[in-house]
């Protein structure tokens, strides 16, 4: 993993374990923890959605790819292929750029990513081949769907650099290589690399508390009594 902002170096086994544990917590709890740490604007815009809708849970380490609208002859984007070849296990490709209206990501890229151990993609742009990506069980969150390909219209110009994605409470959210992304039914959130483990531990604590509250409510405890016992969660 690329280390940023004094983030600790982690072994592949540690990265895989952290990803597995994040899959057991909700973005809402992660967002609350980030607020307490002073990271108030880490959620991506509300129009990021899972495609297909049932592939609605994603977690992994950020591998960033950036592009821009650039007319060029049909025949493929060699830089896009180079960028994709660097993706590794437990990583999510994070796509950023100004290619409004075109598809950055389709079935063949998804298959190539999956072969390399990638666990999903988050795209500030378009996706196509949605039915087939769903058949392959490869989770993707994107801002929109479109049948229009990027070839001849949009070209990759950098990868594994900080990128910006449209934000929910701010105009943009910066994502650096080695940050962590979590997505579920509530949306997608970015956890800076240097606080990934701190956020996870507290999100797991909140999750255990919520599990206890739900069990007591199901057993007849009133909401008022639950709030008095557990406080705000």
């Amino acid at each position: 993993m690329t280390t940023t902002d004094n983030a600790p170096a982690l072994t592949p086994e540690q990265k895989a374990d952290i990803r597995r544990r994040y899959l057991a917590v909700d973005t809402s709890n992660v967002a609350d923890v980030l607020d307490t740490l002073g990271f108030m604007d880490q959620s991506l815009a509300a129009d990021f959605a899972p495609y297909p809708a049932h592939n609605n849970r994603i977690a992994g380490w950020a591998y960033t790819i950036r592009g821009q609208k650039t007319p060029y002859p049909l025949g493929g984007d060699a830089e896009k292929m180079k960028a994709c070849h660097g993706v590794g296990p437990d990583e999510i490709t994070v796509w950023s750029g100004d290619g409004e209206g075109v598809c950055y990501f389709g079935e063949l890229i998804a298959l190539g990513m999956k072969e390399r151990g990638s666990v999903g993609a988050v795209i500030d742009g378009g996706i196509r081949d949605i039915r087939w990506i769903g058949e392959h069980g490869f989770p993707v969150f994107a801002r929109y769907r479109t049948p229009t390909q990027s070839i001849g219209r949009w070209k990759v110009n950098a990868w594994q650099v900080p990128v910006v994605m449209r934000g929910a409470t701010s105009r943009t959210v910066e994502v650096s290589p080695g940050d962590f992304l979590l997505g579920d039914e509530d949306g997608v959130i970015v956890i800076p690399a240097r606080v990934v483990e701190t956020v996870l531990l507290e999100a797991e604590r909140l999750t255990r508390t919520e599990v206890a509250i739900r069990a007591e409510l199901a057993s007849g405890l009133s909401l008022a009594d639950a709030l008095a016992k557990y406080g705000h969660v």
Side-chain angles (χ1 to χ4, degrees):
M1 182 188 73
T2 302
T3 57
T4 56
D5 294 323
N6 299 315
L10 298 169
T11 67
E13 293 76 18
Q14 288 172 319
K15 289 172 62 177
D17 182 61
I18 287 170
R19 176 180 175 269
R20 176 188 59 78
R21 289 163 60 192
Y22 261 108
L23 284 168
V25 301
D26 294 335
T27 56
S28 55
N29 283 337
V30 169
D32 291 353
V33 175
L34 286 167
D35 279 353
T36 66
L37 295 175
F39 297 93
M40 304 290 289
D41 299 302
Q42 296 302 120
S43 295
L44 299 188
D47 45 356
F48 282 86
Y51 290 96
H54 66 268
N55 278 1
N56 58 15
R57 194 151 190 88
I58 192 169
W61 304 89
Y63 180 101
T64 62
I65 299 174
R66 188 187 71 200
Q68 67 181 81
K69 274 199 170 177
T70 305
Y72 61 98
L74 296 178
D77 180 354
E79 295 301 291
K80 191 175 190 178
M81 294 303 100
K82 288 180 187 176
C84 292
H85 287 159
V87 180
D90 298 305
E91 290 182 330
I92 288 174
T93 50
V94 179
W95 299 73
S96 174
D98 64 349
E100 198 68 30
V102 303
C103 161
Y104 298 2
F105 194 96
E107 180 190 12
L108 294 183
I109 294 179
L111 286 173
M113 297 292 182
K114 193 172 181 180
E115 287 176 357
R116 291 173 174 80
S118 174
V119 290
V122 175
I123 305 163
D124 197 347
I127 181 177
R128 70 179 190 176
D129 304 328
I130 294 167
R131 171 162 52 114
W132 303 113
I133 288 172
E135 290 285 338
H136 299 305
F138 192 81
V140 177
F141 278 70
R143 279 201 306 109
Y144 58 83
R145 56 190 172 83
T146 175
T148 304
Q149 68 176 344
S150 63
I151 294 174
R153 300 179 174 89
W154 183 87
K155 209 170 166 56
V156 168
N157 59 22
W159 55 96
Q160 286 299 74
V161 298
V163 298
V164 292
M165 309 283 277
R166 287 166 177 80
T169 56
S170 57
R171 191 174 68 84
T172 60
V173 178
E174 184 173 295
V175 183
S176 294
D179 288 346
F180 196 91
L181 282 84
L182 180 67
D184 60 17
E185 298 87 344
D186 293 334
V188 181
I189 195 159
V190 180
I191 303 100
R194 66 185 182 274
V195 295
V196 165
E197 292 176 277
T198 300
V199 171
L200 176 58
L201 287 170
E202 182 60 13
E204 288 176 326
R205 187 192 67 79
L206 288 176
T207 299
R208 290 192 295 270
T209 300
E210 287 188 346
V211 168
I213 291 172
R214 292 187 187 108
E216 293 212 42
L217 290 173
S219 297
L221 186 71
S222 71
L223 179 59
D225 288 341
L227 291 174
K229 181 175 180 179
Y230 292 98
H232 171 74
V233 292

